[in-house]
Amino acid sequence: MLPWMLGHQWIGDTPGARLRQARLKNNMTIRDLSRTSRLSICAIFKLETDRNNASLSNLRSLSEILGVP
């Protein structure tokens, strides 16, 4: 396991884990989601690893793209 992944929950009820699960359920890579949402790959990665919080407008955009409430 990579050092930055130690202690991180890839499954569960964290906002990042839910984002990652929704992205994977839609068969999207981080790059695909980045292109669609106009967020950087780095920003999405940080959201998925719970290192950053998304703004309300970004949450709405990601919700629409991924088809989740």
Side-chain angles (χ1 to χ4, degrees):
M1 183 173 286
L2 298 172
W4 54 266
M5 293 174 65
L6 292 175
H8 181 75
Q9 294 180 2
W10 286 106
I11 58 172
D13 200 30
T14 68
R18 290 192 306 266
L19 173 60
R20 183 172 190 271
Q21 290 168 6
R23 177 179 59 78
L24 294 175
K25 188 174 181 180
N26 283 279
N27 296 314
M28 296 179 83
T29 64
I30 289 178
R31 183 172 296 213
D32 295 333
L33 186 55
S34 172
R35 287 182 188 143
T36 307
S37 67
R38 297 183 180 169
L39 293 174
S40 70
I41 291 171
C42 184
I44 293 171
F45 176 78
K46 287 180 179 180
L47 291 172
E48 287 190 359
T49 56
D50 295 312
R51 294 175 189 222
N52 277 357
N53 294 321
S55 67
L56 188 55
S57 63
N58 285 342
L59 285 175
R60 285 183 181 138
S61 175
L62 291 169
S63 174
E64 288 177 15
I65 292 165
L66 297 171
V68 294

Coordinates of all heavy atoms in Angstrom, one line a residue:
M1 N 0.9 -1.2 0.0 CA 0.0 0.0 0.0 C 0.9 1.2 0.0 O 1.9 1.3 0.7 CB -0.9 0.0 1.2 CG -1.9 1.1 1.3 SD -3.1 1.0 2.6 CE -4.1 -0.3 2.0
L2 N 0.5 2.2 -0.8 CA 1.3 3.4 -0.9 C 1.2 4.2 0.5 O 0.2 4.2 1.1 CB 0.7 4.3 -2.0 CG 0.8 3.7 -3.4 CD1 0.1 4.6 -4.4 CD2 2.3 3.5 -3.8
P3 N 2.3 4.9 0.8 CA 2.3 5.6 2.1 C 1.1 6.6 2.3 O 0.6 6.7 3.4 CB 3.6 6.3 2.1 CG 4.5 5.6 1.2 CD 3.5 5.0 0.1
W4 N 0.7 7.3 1.3 CA -0.3 8.3 1.4 C -1.7 7.6 1.6 O -2.6 8.3 2.0 CB -0.4 9.3 0.3 CG -0.4 8.7 -1.1 CD1 0.6 8.3 -1.9 CD2 -1.6 8.2 -1.8 NE1 0.2 7.8 -3.0 CE2 -1.2 7.7 -3.0 CE3 -2.9 8.2 -1.5 CZ2 -2.1 7.1 -3.9 CZ3 -3.8 7.7 -2.4 CH2 -3.4 7.2 -3.6
M5 N -1.8 6.3 1.3 CA -3.0 5.6 1.4 C -3.2 5.0 2.8 O -4.3 4.6 3.1 CB -3.2 4.5 0.4 CG -3.2 5.0 -1.0 SD -3.2 3.7 -2.3 CE -4.7 2.8 -1.9
L6 N -2.2 4.9 3.6 CA -2.3 4.3 4.9 C -3.3 5.0 5.8 O -3.3 6.3 5.9 CB -0.9 4.3 5.6 CG 0.1 3.4 5.0 CD1 1.5 3.6 5.7 CD2 -0.3 2.0 5.0
G7 N -4.2 4.3 6.3 CA -5.2 4.9 7.2 C -6.4 5.5 6.5 O -7.3 6.0 7.1
H8 N -6.3 5.5 5.2 CA -7.5 6.1 4.4 C -8.5 5.0 4.1 O -8.2 3.9 3.7 CB -7.0 6.8 3.1 CG -8.2 7.4 2.4 ND1 -8.7 8.6 2.8 CD2 -8.9 7.0 1.4 CE1 -9.8 8.9 2.1 NE2 -9.9 7.9 1.2
Q9 N -9.8 5.4 4.3 CA -10.9 4.5 4.0 C -11.3 4.7 2.6 O -11.8 5.7 2.2 CB -12.0 4.7 4.9 CG -11.8 4.4 6.4 CD -13.0 4.7 7.2 OE1 -14.0 5.0 6.7 NE2 -12.9 4.5 8.5
W10 N -11.1 3.7 1.7 CA -11.6 3.8 0.4 C -13.0 3.4 0.3 O -13.7 3.6 -0.7 CB -10.8 2.9 -0.6 CG -9.4 3.5 -0.8 CD1 -8.2 3.1 -0.3 CD2 -9.1 4.7 -1.6 NE1 -7.2 3.9 -0.7 CE2 -7.8 4.9 -1.5 CE3 -9.9 5.5 -2.4 CZ2 -7.1 5.9 -2.2 CZ3 -9.3 6.6 -3.0 CH2 -7.9 6.8 -2.9
I11 N -13.5 2.7 1.3 CA -15.0 2.4 1.4 C -15.5 3.0 2.7 O -14.7 3.2 3.6 CB -15.2 0.9 1.3 CG1 -14.5 0.2 2.5 CG2 -14.9 0.3 0.0 CD1 -14.9 -1.3 2.6
G12 N -16.7 3.3 2.7 CA -17.2 3.8 4.0 C -18.1 5.0 3.7 O -18.6 5.2 2.6
D13 N -18.3 5.8 4.8 CA -19.3 6.9 4.7 C -18.6 8.3 4.8 O -19.2 9.2 5.2 CB -20.3 6.7 5.8 CG -21.5 7.5 5.6 OD1 -21.9 7.6 4.4 OD2 -22.2 7.9 6.5
T14 N -17.4 8.3 4.3 CA -16.7 9.7 4.3 C -17.2 10.3 3.0 O -17.5 9.6 2.0 CB -15.2 9.6 4.4 OG1 -14.7 9.0 3.2 CG2 -14.7 8.8 5.6
P15 N -17.2 11.6 2.9 CA -17.5 12.3 1.6 C -16.6 11.8 0.5 O -17.1 11.6 -0.6 CB -17.3 13.8 1.9 CG -17.5 13.9 3.4 CD -16.9 12.6 4.0
G16 N -15.3 11.7 0.7 CA -14.4 11.3 -0.3 C -14.7 9.8 -0.8 O -14.6 9.6 -2.0
A17 N -15.0 8.9 0.1 CA -15.3 7.6 -0.2 C -16.6 7.5 -1.0 O -16.7 6.7 -2.0 CB -15.4 6.7 1.0
R18 N -17.6 8.3 -0.7 CA -18.8 8.3 -1.4 C -18.6 8.9 -2.8 O -19.2 8.3 -3.8 CB -19.9 9.1 -0.7 CG -20.4 8.4 0.6 CD -21.6 9.0 1.2 NE -21.5 10.4 1.4 CZ -21.1 11.0 2.6 NH1 -20.9 10.2 3.6 NH2 -21.1 12.3 2.7
L19 N -17.8 9.9 -3.0 CA -17.5 10.4 -4.3 C -16.8 9.4 -5.1 O -17.1 9.2 -6.3 CB -16.6 11.7 -4.1 CG -16.0 12.3 -5.4 CD1 -17.2 12.7 -6.3 CD2 -15.1 13.4 -5.1
R20 N -15.8 8.7 -4.6 CA -15.0 7.7 -5.3 C -16.0 6.6 -5.8 O -15.9 6.1 -6.9 CB -13.9 7.2 -4.5 CG -13.1 6.2 -5.3 CD -11.8 5.8 -4.5 NE -10.9 5.0 -5.3 CZ -10.9 3.7 -5.4 NH1 -11.8 3.0 -4.7 NH2 -10.1 3.1 -6.2
Q21 N -16.8 6.1 -4.9 CA -17.7 5.0 -5.2 C -18.7 5.4 -6.3 O -18.9 4.7 -7.2 CB -18.5 4.6 -3.9 CG -17.7 3.9 -2.9 CD -18.4 3.7 -1.6 OE1 -19.6 4.1 -1.4 NE2 -17.6 3.3 -0.6
A22 N -19.2 6.7 -6.3 CA -20.1 7.1 -7.3 C -19.4 7.3 -8.6 O -19.9 6.9 -9.7 CB -20.7 8.5 -6.9
R23 N -18.1 7.7 -8.6 CA -17.3 7.8 -9.8 C -17.1 6.5 -10.5 O -17.3 6.3 -11.7 CB -16.0 8.5 -9.5 CG -15.1 8.6 -10.7 CD -13.8 9.3 -10.4 NE -13.0 8.7 -9.4 CZ -12.2 7.7 -9.6 NH1 -12.2 7.0 -10.7 NH2 -11.5 7.2 -8.6
L24 N -16.7 5.5 -9.6 CA -16.5 4.2 -10.1 C -17.7 3.5 -10.6 O -17.7 2.8 -11.6 CB -15.8 3.3 -9.0 CG -14.4 3.8 -8.7 CD1 -13.9 2.9 -7.5 CD2 -13.4 3.7 -9.8
K25 N -18.8 3.7 -9.9 CA -20.1 3.2 -10.4 C -20.5 3.7 -11.8 O -21.1 3.0 -12.5 CB -21.2 3.5 -9.4 CG -22.5 2.9 -9.6 CD -23.5 3.2 -8.5 CE -24.8 2.4 -8.7 NZ -25.8 2.7 -7.7
N26 N -20.1 4.9 -12.1 CA -20.3 5.5 -13.4 C -19.2 5.1 -14.4 O -19.2 5.7 -15.5 CB -20.5 7.0 -13.3 CG -21.8 7.4 -12.8 OD1 -22.8 7.4 -13.5 ND2 -21.9 7.7 -11.5
N27 N -18.3 4.2 -14.0 CA -17.2 3.8 -14.9 C -16.4 5.0 -15.4 O -16.0 5.1 -16.6 CB -17.7 3.0 -16.1 CG -18.4 1.7 -15.6 OD1 -17.8 1.0 -14.8 ND2 -19.5 1.4 -16.1
M28 N -16.1 5.9 -14.5 CA -15.3 7.1 -14.8 C -14.0 7.0 -14.1 O -13.9 6.6 -13.0 CB -16.0 8.4 -14.4 CG -17.4 8.6 -15.1 SD -18.1 10.1 -14.5 CE -17.3 11.3 -15.5
T29 N -13.0 7.5 -14.8 CA -11.7 7.7 -14.2 C -11.7 9.1 -13.6 O -12.6 9.9 -13.9 CB -10.5 7.6 -15.2 OG1 -10.7 8.7 -16.2 CG2 -10.5 6.3 -15.9
I30 N -10.6 9.4 -12.8 CA -10.5 10.7 -12.3 C -10.4 11.7 -13.4 O -10.9 12.8 -13.4 CB -9.3 10.8 -11.3 CG1 -9.7 10.1 -10.0 CG2 -9.0 12.3 -10.9 CD1 -8.6 10.1 -8.9
R31 N -9.6 11.3 -14.4 CA -9.5 12.2 -15.6 C -10.8 12.5 -16.3 O -11.0 13.6 -16.7 CB -8.5 11.6 -16.6 CG -8.2 12.5 -17.8 CD -7.1 11.9 -18.6 NE -5.9 11.9 -17.7 CZ -4.7 12.0 -18.2 NH1 -4.4 12.2 -19.4 NH2 -3.6 12.0 -17.4
D32 N -11.6 11.5 -16.4 CA -12.9 11.7 -17.0 C -13.8 12.7 -16.2 O -14.4 13.6 -16.8 CB -13.7 10.3 -17.1 CG -13.1 9.3 -18.0 OD1 -12.4 9.7 -19.0 OD2 -13.4 8.1 -17.8
L33 N -13.8 12.5 -14.9 CA -14.5 13.4 -14.1 C -14.0 14.8 -14.1 O -14.7 15.8 -14.1 CB -14.6 12.8 -12.6 CG -15.5 13.6 -11.6 CD1 -16.9 13.7 -12.1 CD2 -15.4 12.9 -10.3
S34 N -12.7 14.9 -14.2 CA -12.0 16.2 -14.3 C -12.4 16.9 -15.5 O -12.8 18.1 -15.5 CB -10.5 16.0 -14.3 OG -9.8 17.2 -14.5
R35 N -12.4 16.2 -16.6 CA -12.8 16.9 -17.9 C -14.3 17.3 -17.9 O -14.7 18.4 -18.3 CB -12.7 15.9 -19.1 CG -11.2 15.7 -19.4 CD -11.1 14.7 -20.6 NE -9.7 14.4 -20.8 CZ -9.4 13.2 -21.2 NH1 -10.2 12.2 -21.5 NH2 -8.1 13.0 -21.4
T36 N -15.2 16.5 -17.3 CA -16.6 16.7 -17.3 C -16.9 17.9 -16.3 O -17.8 18.7 -16.6 CB -17.4 15.5 -16.9 OG1 -17.0 14.4 -17.8 CG2 -18.9 15.7 -17.0
S37 N -16.3 17.8 -15.1 CA -16.6 18.8 -14.1 C -15.8 20.1 -14.1 O -16.1 21.1 -13.4 CB -16.4 18.2 -12.7 OG -15.0 17.9 -12.5
R38 N -14.7 20.1 -14.9 CA -13.8 21.2 -15.0 C -13.1 21.5 -13.7 O -12.6 22.6 -13.5 CB -14.5 22.5 -15.5 CG -15.1 22.4 -16.9 CD -15.7 23.6 -17.3 NE -16.2 23.5 -18.7 CZ -17.0 24.3 -19.3 NH1 -17.4 25.4 -18.6 NH2 -17.4 24.1 -20.5
L39 N -13.0 20.5 -12.9 CA -12.1 20.5 -11.7 C -10.8 19.8 -12.1 O -10.8 18.9 -12.9 CB -12.8 19.7 -10.5 CG -14.0 20.3 -9.9 CD1 -14.6 19.4 -8.9 CD2 -13.7 21.7 -9.3
S40 N -9.7 20.2 -11.5 CA -8.5 19.6 -11.8 C -8.4 18.2 -11.3 O -9.1 17.8 -10.3 CB -7.3 20.4 -11.2 OG -7.3 20.3 -9.8
I41 N -7.6 17.4 -11.8 CA -7.3 16.0 -11.4 C -6.9 16.0 -9.9 O -7.4 15.3 -9.1 CB -6.3 15.3 -12.3 CG1 -6.9 15.1 -13.7 CG2 -5.9 14.0 -11.6 CD1 -5.9 14.6 -14.7
C42 N -6.0 17.0 -9.6 CA -5.5 17.1 -8.2 C -6.7 17.4 -7.3 O -6.7 16.9 -6.2 CB -4.4 18.2 -8.2 SG -3.7 18.4 -6.6
A43 N -7.6 18.3 -7.7 CA -8.7 18.7 -6.8 C -9.6 17.5 -6.5 O -10.0 17.3 -5.4 CB -9.5 19.8 -7.4
I44 N -9.9 16.7 -7.6 CA -10.7 15.5 -7.4 C -10.0 14.5 -6.5 O -10.6 13.9 -5.6 CB -11.1 14.9 -8.7 CG1 -12.0 15.9 -9.5 CG2 -11.8 13.6 -8.6 CD1 -12.3 15.6 -10.9
F45 N -8.7 14.3 -6.7 CA -8.0 13.4 -5.9 C -8.0 13.8 -4.4 O -8.3 13.0 -3.5 CB -6.5 13.3 -6.4 CG -5.7 12.4 -5.5 CD1 -5.7 11.0 -5.6 CD2 -4.8 13.0 -4.6 CE1 -5.0 10.2 -4.8 CE2 -4.1 12.2 -3.7 CZ -4.1 10.8 -3.8
K46 N -7.8 15.1 -4.2 CA -7.9 15.6 -2.8 C -9.3 15.4 -2.2 O -9.4 15.2 -1.0 CB -7.4 17.0 -2.7 CG -5.9 17.2 -2.9 CD -5.5 18.6 -2.8 CE -4.0 18.8 -3.0 NZ -3.6 20.1 -2.9
L47 N -10.3 15.6 -3.0 CA -11.7 15.4 -2.5 C -11.9 13.9 -2.1 O -12.5 13.6 -1.1 CB -12.7 15.8 -3.5 CG -12.8 17.3 -3.8 CD1 -13.7 17.6 -5.0 CD2 -13.3 18.1 -2.6
E48 N -11.4 13.0 -3.0 CA -11.6 11.6 -2.8 C -10.8 11.1 -1.6 O -11.2 10.1 -0.9 CB -11.3 10.8 -4.0 CG -12.3 10.9 -5.1 CD -12.1 9.9 -6.2 OE1 -11.1 9.2 -6.2 OE2 -12.9 10.0 -7.2
T49 N -9.7 11.7 -1.3 CA -8.9 11.3 -0.1 C -9.2 12.2 1.1 O -8.5 12.1 2.1 CB -7.4 11.4 -0.4 OG1 -7.1 12.7 -0.9 CG2 -7.1 10.3 -1.5
D50 N -10.3 13.0 1.1 CA -10.8 13.8 2.2 C -9.7 14.8 2.7 O -9.6 15.1 3.8 CB -11.3 12.9 3.4 CG -12.5 12.1 3.0 OD1 -13.4 12.7 2.4 OD2 -12.5 10.9 3.2
R51 N -8.9 15.2 1.7 CA -7.9 16.2 2.1 C -8.4 17.7 1.9 O -7.8 18.6 2.4 CB -6.6 16.0 1.3 CG -5.9 14.7 1.6 CD -4.8 14.5 0.7 NE -4.3 13.1 1.0 CZ -3.0 12.8 1.0 NH1 -2.1 13.7 0.9 NH2 -2.7 11.5 1.3
N52 N -9.5 17.8 1.1 CA -10.1 19.1 0.8 C -11.6 18.9 0.9 O -12.1 17.8 0.7 CB -9.8 19.6 -0.5 CG -8.4 20.4 -0.6 OD1 -7.8 20.5 0.4 ND2 -8.0 20.8 -1.8
N53 N -12.3 20.0 1.2 CA -13.8 20.0 1.1 C -14.2 20.7 -0.2 O -13.6 21.7 -0.6 CB -14.4 20.7 2.3 CG -14.1 20.0 3.6 OD1 -14.1 18.8 3.6 ND2 -13.8 20.8 4.6
A54 N -15.2 20.2 -0.8 CA -15.8 20.8 -2.0 C -16.7 22.0 -1.7 O -17.4 22.0 -0.7 CB -16.5 19.8 -2.8
S55 N -16.7 23.0 -2.6 CA -17.6 24.1 -2.4 C -19.0 23.6 -2.8 O -19.2 22.5 -3.4 CB -17.3 25.2 -3.3 OG -17.4 24.9 -4.7
L56 N -20.0 24.3 -2.4 CA -21.4 23.9 -2.7 C -21.7 23.8 -4.2 O -22.3 22.9 -4.6 CB -22.4 24.9 -2.0 CG -23.9 24.5 -2.1 CD1 -24.1 23.1 -1.5 CD2 -24.7 25.5 -1.3
S57 N -21.1 24.8 -4.9 CA -21.3 24.7 -6.4 C -20.6 23.5 -7.0 O -21.2 22.9 -7.9 CB -20.9 26.0 -7.0 OG -19.5 26.2 -6.8
N58 N -19.4 23.2 -6.5 CA -18.8 22.0 -7.0 C -19.5 20.7 -6.6 O -19.6 19.8 -7.4 CB -17.3 21.9 -6.5 CG -16.4 22.9 -7.2 OD1 -16.8 23.4 -8.3 ND2 -15.3 23.2 -6.6
L59 N -20.1 20.7 -5.4 CA -20.8 19.5 -5.0 C -22.1 19.3 -5.9 O -22.4 18.2 -6.3 CB -21.3 19.6 -3.5 CG -20.2 19.4 -2.5 CD1 -20.8 19.7 -1.1 CD2 -19.7 18.0 -2.5
R60 N -22.7 20.4 -6.2 CA -23.9 20.3 -7.1 C -23.5 19.8 -8.5 O -24.2 19.0 -9.0 CB -24.6 21.7 -7.2 CG -25.4 22.1 -6.0 CD -26.1 23.4 -6.2 NE -26.8 23.7 -5.0 CZ -26.9 25.0 -4.5 NH1 -26.2 26.0 -5.2 NH2 -27.5 25.2 -3.4
S61 N -22.4 20.3 -9.0 CA -21.9 19.9 -10.3 C -21.6 18.4 -10.3 O -22.0 17.7 -11.2 CB -20.7 20.7 -10.7 OG -20.1 20.3 -11.9
L62 N -20.8 18.0 -9.3 CA -20.4 16.6 -9.2 C -21.6 15.7 -9.0 O -21.7 14.6 -9.6 CB -19.4 16.4 -8.0 CG -18.1 17.0 -8.2 CD1 -17.3 17.0 -6.9 CD2 -17.3 16.3 -9.3
S63 N -22.6 16.1 -8.2 CA -23.8 15.4 -8.0 C -24.6 15.2 -9.3 O -25.1 14.1 -9.6 CB -24.7 16.1 -7.0 OG -26.0 15.5 -6.9
E64 N -24.7 16.2 -10.1 CA -25.4 16.1 -11.4 C -24.7 15.2 -12.4 O -25.3 14.3 -13.0 CB -25.6 17.5 -12.0 CG -26.6 18.4 -11.3 CD -26.7 19.7 -11.9 OE1 -26.2 20.0 -13.1 OE2 -27.3 20.6 -11.3
I65 N -23.4 15.3 -12.4 CA -22.6 14.5 -13.3 C -22.6 13.0 -13.0 O -22.8 12.2 -13.8 CB -21.1 15.0 -13.3 CG1 -21.0 16.4 -14.0 CG2 -20.2 14.0 -14.0 CD1 -19.7 17.1 -13.7
L66 N -22.6 12.8 -11.7 CA -22.5 11.4 -11.2 C -23.9 10.8 -11.0 O -24.1 9.6 -10.7 CB -21.7 11.3 -9.9 CG -20.2 11.6 -10.1 CD1 -19.5 11.7 -8.8 CD2 -19.5 10.7 -11.1
G67 N -24.9 11.6 -11.0 CA -26.3 11.1 -10.9 C -26.6 10.7 -9.5 O -27.3 9.7 -9.3
V68 N -26.1 11.4 -8.5 CA -26.4 11.1 -7.1 C -27.0 12.3 -6.4 O -26.7 13.4 -6.8 CB -25.2 10.6 -6.3 CG1 -24.6 9.3 -6.9 CG2 -24.1 11.7 -6.4
P69 N -27.8 12.1 -5.4 CA -28.4 13.2 -4.7 C -27.4 14.0 -3.8 O -26.4 13.4 -3.4 CB -29.5 12.6 -3.8 CG -29.2 11.2 -3.7 CD -28.3 10.8 -4.9

